Amino acid sequence: MATPREFNGIIYDLLTGRVSRREFIKRAGALGLSATSIAAILAACGGGEEEATSTGSSGGSSRGTGATPSASPAASGGSGATGSGGTLDRVVVALGADARTLMPNTIVDATTTWQLENIFDPVLRRDPDNNFKVGPWLGELTSIDDLTWEIKIVKEGIKFHNGEPFDAEAIKVSLEYALDPANKSHYLERWKPITEITVVDPMTVRLKTSEPYPIMPTRLAELYPIPPKYLAEKGIEYVSQNPVGTGPFKFKEWVRDEHLLLEQNPDYWRGPVAVKELEFRYIPEFASRLSALLAGEVDIIKDVPVDAIERVNSSGVARAIEIPSSRINYVALVNNREGSIMADKRVRQAINYGVNVDAIIEGVFQGHATRMAGALSKINPEVDPSIEPYPYDPEKAKQLLEEAGIQPGTQIVLDSPQGRYPMDTDAAQAIAAELEQLGFRVQVQYNEWGTHLDKIVNRRTGDAFYLGWGPALDAEGTLRYLFVGDSTYSGYTNPEVEKLIAEASKTVNPERRQELWNQVQRAVWEDAGWLFLWQQHDIYGVSNKVEWTPRVDESLFLGTVKPRQASGPKTGPKHG
Amino acid sequence: MQRFIVTRLIYGVFVVFLAVTAVFFMLRLTGDPVLLFAPMDTSAKDLDEIRERMGFNDPLWVQYGRYMRDALRGDFGESTRLHRPATAVVVERLPATLELGVAALGISLAVGIPLGMLAAVRHGSVWDRLAGLLAVIGQAVPNFWLGILLILLFAVALKWLPTSGRGSWEQLIMPAVALAAASVARYARLTRSAMLDVLRQDYIRTAHAKGLSPTRVIWGHAFKNASISLITTTALEIGRLLGGAVVIEQMFAWPGVGRVTVQALLNRDFAVVEASVVLFAVVYTVANLLADICYAWVNPQVRVS
């Protein structure tokens, strides 16, 4: 019996031109589809192709207005601060899921953060112009000594949307909110080392920690201040549904599972943005999201599969924009389990020599992924740039396996999630095929996401498991969680490495800390703790009416959206 | 009649009780819910603290007792995904699902029955064969497949209708049609065979013989009797439509109970799944109960047996 996934899959292939009509009819027939429905689908898809060449705007839809540039700059209320190009009346972003709450500092969930970061500003922020290092935003951070940090607010007169001034008290209250167990904040664990929060003056906060906490800048980049008076007056329940921040957009309306409507904050402290109204619309199915983009109903969609890029680019209404993401993918080679053949370093090295990662990137991702040399990606500001990828050398791999006494036909079980990452099952299959070239017999176990996590946490995976991690933009957030034996999602133990990691995690001096992280990176590379794979590329479908550059940190900050010059040249995907 | 209703009610309560219990134990077989909402950098110790705090470390029967006690009051606990009471999460989506379900049922009745009548009255004609063909297609094409086709044709290619969402009547058309398709087919086939049965009866020949107009014979005499079997079907059909809505709501971004349930299942948000399964069970049971009562009311023979 064919599953919905299979059906959608073949429609998809047809839409994206991956299969011919003839091939489609054959496959659809094999799935038990009647001739009538096959004919109907072909007719519908044909219609879509014809339409693709026309650029007519959508009619008949009550909501499908899409983004329309304002008639004249005068109509935009003289918002000269947006620079050249004028303003956009409305930008619609389609997301797969709703925000879980509109209260920041509560739930760790990417989709929730993408929406909140347009209403709220973080204390610190990763700066795309400075290699995505954490830099100042609402505040600036200084380390006073190993246990003391000071935040200075960057500018006087910053106000929340309700007029309440943003000050040191707001930072304090926001931290206290996250630290109160009654609020069940996911960030509680991350703020635990803080023992004291002192408001020095309205522009200054001091934080004391129980132990050196060098990851503080990263943590403050995910702290979004909330207005203290508003919170005290209205209560958490109300504020969670009626957010008030300092950000570029003000809250207007939220209908759960339907949409979140925001409007331009004319008094934004960095100058008003070019978008008058921003809507997040929730469309769970990718095929429906893509349809909405092609029909001109929405302006930005995320996670376009590589095989749909052509369809988007040839539509005449939108184009695919691509950026190498900070999210990394790897295969953990479980070295710390009794009886695992991965306990032998030579086997792990052999796998790194013997799997042709570049070929998989080309074959499975059509080039839409970037190879990683070691455990950190090239865009991670703390990467050791001297590390080179393992060269593809199957002869050396076989020789290492022979030295390790591995007989041809030895079985490996590889656990892979299904539908979690772009092309995950295809990638797992390709890796398995490469391993079989080395003489292994590989059994790939595809797991539903929850089951996959269960298996890793309870150490019930095979000798290897495929996992993604991100956004991975600092060394600690990756190395400490994935290369320490008793960490939740780790499959690797090495006492030397653990000692280095423990030291680095407590070192505040940036140079010393970087040196220690470099040592960790070189050690896990040499020890072949993983089969190092690739950074995935985030591919967005963006309407031709909109100019926008996505960020590597998977942030969906839309304050940078601008109208696109109507007669501009059609651009294809940008390769990173 | 009273005794009949009371017996049916007791059955109904028993069915709901079974559903409440089954969903509890089946969910706990799926795995650890904490992993799916705690951030991935949570340490094993902290994970266990969360489990302890949320009661997942208690013996299963203790958890079950607590669950049943609260469930009786309509309280399924807090959604781990949304940090809100699960009952509210589910109940606030009910209007959307009902709207979709009623629209689909309306289409099924309004199209399916006339189609079946036409096929029966013009038995063996081109109309009959056409209706038969439509019925086969309606039942053979999976609803999500039909849904995607409708979107491609009417939203992307022709731009007549919005692709998805809820709010205007245009947005209701495609999901309701996709959901109704199979149901239209079943009604058409059922009406046709029921009508063919009735039309062969002696009293129809008598009605014709005494000079009644064909319209009166068909609607006044034949359809009235044929409709008895449609009542039971309608109860079953409501259940099928609720099940189908799970897929259709996902496809068309329709903010109903089905979509919330899918999301909750993928995230092991136990409280929300429990609340929605119980809600589905209650709706289904009530629909069946009403059908039984209607059936008994129009056909006294049932009450005796």
Side-chain angles (χ1 to χ4, degrees):
Chain A
M1 183 62 200
T3 63
R5 190 183 288 265
E6 283 172 305
F7 276 115
N8 281 339
I10 56 170
I11 298 185
Y12 228 84
D13 291 349
L14 179 72
L15 265 179
T16 53
R18 209 158 75 155
V19 297
S20 66
R21 287 174 169 237
R22 182 174 308 202
E23 173 70 8
F24 170 79
I25 294 169
K26 225 166 73 190
R27 280 171 60 187
L31 286 174
L33 218 67
S34 69
T36 336
S37 33
I38 294 174
I41 289 152
L42 287 173
C45 294
E49 274 160 23
E50 278 162 37
E51 193 61 32
T53 54
S54 86
T55 48
S57 64
S58 81
S61 134
S62 62
R63 286 173 142 183
T65 44
T68 358
S70 281
S72 71
S76 69
S79 57
T82 55
S84 63
T87 59
L88 287 157
D89 281 344
R90 188 181 174 79
V91 169
V92 185
V93 180
L95 297 175
D98 200 348
R100 297 189 182 183
T101 174
L102 295 183
M103 186 68 151
N105 313 317
T106 309
I107 294 180
V108 174
D109 170 54
T111 315
T112 305
T113 309
W114 293 336
Q115 296 170 68
L116 289 179
E117 67 191 339
N118 289 289
I119 308 173
F120 295 88
D121 282 306
V123 175
L124 304 179
R125 197 151 205 276
R126 291 196 178 274
D127 182 0
D129 297 328
N130 185 23
N131 205 10
F132 278 91
K133 284 195 175 113
V134 177
W137 194 255
L138 281 176
E140 199 168 1
L141 183 71
T142 333
S143 154
I144 305 290
D145 59 50
D146 270 10
L147 299 177
T148 317
W149 298 84
E150 187 173 276
I151 306 166
K152 276 254 181 230
I153 293 173
V154 290
K155 190 178 161 197
E156 269 189 68
I158 300 176
K159 281 189 168 29
F160 285 102
H161 300 149
N162 62 352
E164 202 177 321
F166 163 70
D167 56 13
E169 186 64 24
I171 297 180
K172 180 169 189 249
V173 165
S174 309
L175 276 171
E176 283 168 349
Y177 165 83
L179 279 165
D180 183 352
N183 297 330
K184 288 180 262 183
S185 168
H186 291 165
Y187 295 91
L188 174 62
E189 314 298 341
R190 299 182 183 183
W191 290 121
K192 254 185 187 166
I194 292 190
T195 49
E196 213 182 296
I197 310 161
T198 324
V199 172
V200 180
D201 61 56
M203 299 294 280
T204 319
V205 188
R206 275 194 181 208
L207 305 176
K208 278 227 176 274
T209 56
S210 55
E211 52 189 359
Y213 198 54
I215 202 169
M216 186 65 91
T218 304
R219 293 287 171 251
L220 284 172
E222 53 188 26
L223 179 71
Y224 296 89
I226 41 183
K229 233 189 258 155
Y230 179 68
L231 182 68
E233 272 165 26
K234 302 283 185 172
I236 290 168
E237 168 98 30
Y238 181 85
V239 176
S240 306
Q241 294 171 50
N242 298 275
V244 166
T246 56
F249 293 98
K250 291 198 288 187
F251 171 75
K252 200 167 166 189
E253 182 192 48
W254 184 34
V255 184
R256 285 178 198 275
D257 265 358
E258 288 183 37
H259 65 257
L260 171 67
L261 215 56
L262 309 178
E263 61 186 351
Q264 186 194 50
N265 170 12
D267 307 317
Y268 189 44
W269 61 284
R270 297 175 67 90
V273 293
V275 179
K276 290 274 171 196
E277 201 171 50
L278 176 63
E279 179 184 343
F280 291 99
R281 201 177 291 174
Y282 312 125
I283 308 178
E285 273 295 321
F286 176 74
S288 312
R289 275 202 300 281
L290 178 63
S291 300
L293 178 75
L294 298 181
E297 290 174 25
V298 307
D299 303 304
I300 298 177
I301 61 171
K302 204 180 173 300
D303 296 333
V304 176
V306 292
D307 49 9
I309 290 177
E310 196 37 50
R311 168 83 175 152
V312 173
N313 282 335
S314 64
S315 69
V317 297
R319 75 260 191 224
I321 297 182
E322 167 174 3
I323 189 152
S325 162
S326 63
R327 186 167 290 269
I328 57 172
N329 289 104
Y330 64 94
V331 171
L333 306 174
V334 182
N335 79 338
N336 53 6
R337 192 134 356 121
E338 194 113 351
S340 168
I341 57 163
M342 301 298 174
D344 192 322
K345 173 175 157 181
R346 288 168 296 191
V347 178
R348 302 195 300 269
Q349 284 177 333
I351 288 174
N352 273 285
Y353 282 117
V355 172
N356 192 346
V357 177
D358 289 322
I360 299 175
I361 289 176
E362 225 21 75
V364 175
F365 293 90
Q366 296 165 31
H368 301 283
T370 301
R371 181 157 186 201
M372 280 160 57
L376 301 185
S377 73
K378 261 182 261 169
I379 54 173
N380 192 315
E382 290 171 300
V383 70
D384 179 347
S386 70
I387 294 175
E388 290 289 327
Y390 276 83
Y392 175 55
D393 189 346
E395 286 319 307
K396 182 154 188 181
K398 281 181 190 151
Q399 186 196 328
L400 281 164
L401 288 177
E402 210 179 293
E403 281 170 26
I406 300 293
Q407 301 299 322
T410 302
Q411 172 148 335
I412 292 182
V413 176
L414 168 64
D415 274 276
S416 165
Q418 193 170 8
R420 176 72 184 182
Y421 311 114
M423 317 296 288
D424 51 7
T425 50
D426 300 68
Q429 216 152 45
I431 293 165
E434 294 278 329
L435 291 173
E436 284 187 343
Q437 294 284 316
L438 297 178
F440 290 109
R441 228 158 27 86
V442 186
Q443 188 196 340
V444 187
Q445 291 271 0
Y446 297 108
N447 306 307
E448 175 264 326
W449 177 237
T451 312
H452 193 62
L453 293 184
D454 268 340
K455 281 174 131 179
I456 299 173
V457 172
N458 297 312
R459 314 298 194 227
R460 285 192 287 107
T461 61
D463 315 282
F465 61 84
Y466 179 30
L467 196 65
W469 191 261
L473 274 163
D474 69 288
E476 180 168 349
T478 304
L479 301 174
R480 186 154 81 88
Y481 296 109
L482 300 176
F483 288 104
V484 172
D486 62 0
S487 285
T488 315
Y489 292 99
S490 163
Y492 177 81
T493 304
N494 179 338
E496 287 302 306
V497 167
E498 288 187 17
K499 234 173 73 191
L500 287 169
I501 291 174
E503 195 188 338
S505 309
K506 297 279 171 278
T507 303
V508 177
N509 177 303
E511 286 79 36
R512 174 72 189 135
R513 185 168 151 92
Q514 182 64 53
E515 177 44 39
L516 287 163
W517 287 136
N518 285 353
Q519 287 178 29
V520 175
Q521 291 172 64
R522 284 195 291 265
V524 297
W525 179 85
E526 202 275 327
D527 200 34
W530 292 345
L531 166 57
F532 304 104
L533 296 176
W534 47 72
Q535 292 162 256
Q536 69 184 47
H537 286 190
D538 284 333
I539 306 170
Y540 295 84
V542 180
S543 154
N544 285 341
K545 294 170 187 161
V546 166
E547 193 65 66
W548 178 62
T549 311
R551 293 166 58 106
V552 297
D553 53 357
E554 297 188 321
S555 149
L556 204 59
F557 180 68
L558 296 155
T560 53
V561 169
K562 299 251 171 358
R564 192 158 181 257
Q565 303 314 329
S567 55
K570 211 169 105 178
T571 51
K574 190 178 74 183
H575 288 275
Chain B
M1 185 70 179
Q2 236 169 13
R3 207 171 137 221
F4 171 80
I5 294 175
V6 170
T7 326
R8 291 280 135 176
L9 261 175
I10 293 170
Y11 281 160
V13 170
F14 184 65
V15 166
V16 172
F17 168 79
L18 279 184
V20 173
T21 303
V23 69
F24 175 86
F25 288 103
M26 281 162 74
L27 277 177
R28 265 128 197 105
L29 288 177
T30 62
D32 185 355
V34 176
L35 298 182
L36 287 176
F37 66 81
M40 287 186 79
D41 56 7
T42 312
S43 69
K45 190 175 129 275
D46 291 332
L47 283 176
D48 206 56
E49 252 170 49
I50 298 173
R51 278 186 209 110
E52 187 65 39
R53 194 169 64 221
M54 302 191 61
F56 290 123
N57 280 349
D58 296 338
L60 205 55
W61 61 268
V62 173
Q63 291 186 46
Y64 178 67
R66 204 162 44 212
Y67 161 78
M68 276 315 262
R69 186 196 63 204
D70 294 342
L72 282 176
R73 294 182 311 208
D75 175 7
F76 290 89
E78 190 177 79
S79 155
T80 49
R81 207 176 88 82
L82 302 166
H83 292 191
R84 298 175 62 221
T87 312
V89 169
V90 171
V91 169
E92 71 191 16
R93 308 303 159 88
L94 195 57
T97 297
L98 287 181
E99 183 184 318
L100 182 60
V102 167
L105 190 64
I107 294 174
S108 314
L109 294 172
V111 179
I113 292 177
L115 204 64
M117 299 266 291
L118 184 70
V121 174
R122 300 258 182 277
H123 182 49
S125 73
V126 179
W127 292 111
D128 187 14
R129 262 173 273 162
L130 200 68
L133 182 70
L134 278 175
V136 169
I137 294 173
Q139 279 194 297
V141 176
N143 54 12
F144 54 85
W145 170 266
L146 181 65
I148 214 169
L149 271 184
L150 291 174
I151 293 179
L152 287 175
L153 185 62
F154 292 106
V156 179
L158 298 171
K159 294 198 159 79
W160 289 352
L161 294 169
T163 51
S164 61
R166 177 178 179 236
S168 64
W169 63 269
E170 290 105 325
Q171 285 166 312
L172 179 59
I173 297 175
M174 288 197 295
V177 168
L179 183 55
S183 192
V184 166
R186 275 189 296 268
Y187 272 114
R189 287 171 54 162
L190 197 83
T191 310
R192 179 179 177 272
S193 63
M195 281 294 284
L196 284 178
D197 261 1
V198 175
L199 288 173
R200 279 190 214 107
Q201 302 292 320
D202 289 345
Y203 65 86
I204 297 293
R205 197 175 312 131
T206 312
H208 277 300
K210 66 184 184 183
L212 286 180
S213 73
T215 321
R216 272 200 71 186
V217 174
I218 289 166
W219 289 102
H221 292 254
F223 180 67
K224 207 169 162 190
N225 284 293
S227 64
I228 292 176
S229 63
L230 294 179
I231 293 173
T232 341
T233 313
T234 300
L236 292 173
E237 214 52 55
I238 288 172
R240 287 203 187 101
L241 288 174
L242 282 177
V246 173
V247 177
I248 292 297
E249 286 179 359
Q250 191 79 2
M251 187 92 246
F252 287 94
W254 190 265
V257 183
R259 189 165 142 206
V260 153
T261 312
V262 170
Q263 231 166 25
L265 262 175
L266 292 175
N267 289 281
R268 287 194 199 142
D269 191 347
F270 290 173
V272 172
V273 179
E274 283 156 1
S276 60
V277 166
V278 170
L279 183 76
F280 277 134
V282 169
V283 171
Y284 193 60
T285 309
V286 169
N288 267 291
L289 187 68
L290 289 178
D292 280 350
I293 293 169
C294 282
Y295 199 50
W297 182 58
V298 293
N299 185 1
Q301 282 172 325
V302 179
R303 278 176 246 168
V304 187
S305 62

